[in-house]
Amino acid sequence: MQGHMRLFSCAMRSFLRCFRLGRRWGRSKLLKRARELWSYGKLCAKSLFYNSLTNSDVVIDSLFEPIYWLVDHVTRWFGVVFVFLVIVLTSSIVLIVYICLLPLILDTYSPAWITWHVCYGHWNLLMIVFHYYKAARTSPGCPPQMKTDTPSVSICKKCIAPKPPRTHHCSICNRCILKMDHHCPWLNNCVGHFNHRYFFSFCLFMTMGCLYCSISSRDMFIDAYNAVETYYQTPPPPFTFKERMFHKCVIYLWVLCSSVALALGSLTLWHAMLISRGETSIERHINRKEKHRLEKKGKQVFRNIFHYGRMNNWKVFFGVETRSHWLTRVLLPSAHPPYGDGLTWTLSPTTTRRTLLAI
């Protein structure tokens, strides 16, 4: 009986050892299989997404791609709203000037000052309206879709078409723009080769107009502000409804014109600096990166091939060929086209002629 018990206990011990080994072998097999699947998954991910040129900028751009898409589509629709705001705000300022400021000028100023205010004010208003309309309604220019002999520097990844020098793709307009500077929501249009001059002139004359209104109404603003401060005294001052509206309109005019003059004046100075260097807003960033890249390699100093000299840059930008053009093409409304077709770049008649292509 004891022999049978020993035999049974030995059999049970052997069975338990086999069971434990089987469990260990099964667990190690599962872990091994999981490691293989993990390695295979990493290999598949690297084969699909790995790029030796990828850096932190590429990763950040990829993460912000949904935000870029949202901004592009929202800006496209809000462009109409921004244009409406420009028209409404500008019209309100003009009405206040005609209703509030002009009668006061006619009653209190001398004939010489009246003549100057009337002439300058209407000339400035004419230049603002003309250049804003032309900037918003003029096409910035697009490269031809058909096959031509026009030289190109690359292929647009969105349009799958050749890109001439200084051409860039606008994700909001969904097309390539010749000599693209930026997409302006206040124009609901891109700023490019054929309307860049109109855009800058509008910014310049709008800044001048806002400064003119702000300076001319400064004393009136101080008086109106002091009057508004007394509205809540006890007893209240005996101002009529018309006088209260006059005070509020003057304050609105001065605050709006001063704010626009400060903001738009800074933008105008920035674009004036770019024009002096023969660059657009996009080319400014490209040229800075290229300059840093060459400096790291210890090569020669970067040179912008579209920089013809400061004065020549302004002549090319405004289309000035003779001295009289500074009056007829800059200080008066003019719809003359810019130099060139935006596809190939040559210097203006004011300088030596040679064909230019972007790097």
Side-chain angles (χ1 to χ4, degrees), residues 59-224:
V59 174
I60 293 174
D61 288 342
S62 301
L63 293 176
F64 277 89
E65 190 64 30
I67 299 177
Y68 297 152
W69 180 89
L70 180 64
V71 170
D72 291 344
H73 286 72
V74 169
T75 304
R76 188 180 306 172
W77 290 104
F78 270 78
V80 179
V81 178
F82 290 155
V83 171
F84 178 76
L85 283 176
V86 171
I87 295 173
V88 170
L89 293 177
T90 305
S91 300
S92 65
I93 295 299
V94 172
L95 286 175
I96 292 174
V97 169
Y98 272 106
I99 296 173
C100 299
L101 266 67
L102 189 58
L104 188 62
I105 290 173
L106 295 176
D107 291 338
T108 58
Y109 284 25
S110 64
W113 276 109
I114 292 174
T115 303
W116 186 88
H117 278 287
V118 171
C119 293
Y120 177 82
H122 286 86
W123 167 79
N124 205 157
L125 178 61
L126 174 64
M127 298 297 284
I128 290 173
V129 174
F130 172 80
H131 286 104
Y132 183 76
Y133 175 80
K134 295 294 289 184
R137 300 296 299 173
T138 302
S139 173
C142 301
Q145 297 298 320
M146 299 180 295
K147 292 184 178 180
T148 60
D149 296 332
T150 303
S152 60
V153 294
S154 62
I155 300 294
C156 179
K157 296 179 182 179
K158 302 291 182 66
C159 299
I160 316 300
K163 288 200 323 183
R166 312 185 81 175
T167 299
H168 301 279
H169 187 88
C170 176
S171 57
I172 299 174
C173 298
N174 196 24
R175 57 178 179 171
C176 285
I177 305 298
L178 299 176
K179 192 194 169 187
M180 180 179 175
D181 188 89
H182 69 286
H183 183 92
C184 181
W186 299 102
L187 299 176
N188 195 27
N189 195 10
C190 266
V191 177
H193 178 63
F194 291 100
N195 65 346
H196 194 181
R197 177 176 66 88
Y198 297 129
F199 165 77
F200 177 78
S201 298
F202 163 73
C203 292
L204 177 63
F205 289 111
M206 178 62 85
T207 302
M208 292 171 58
C210 289
L211 285 174
Y212 165 73
C213 291
S214 180
I215 294 173
S216 300
S217 62
R218 179 178 175 276
D219 294 335
M220 296 176 64
F221 164 76
I222 295 174
D223 294 338

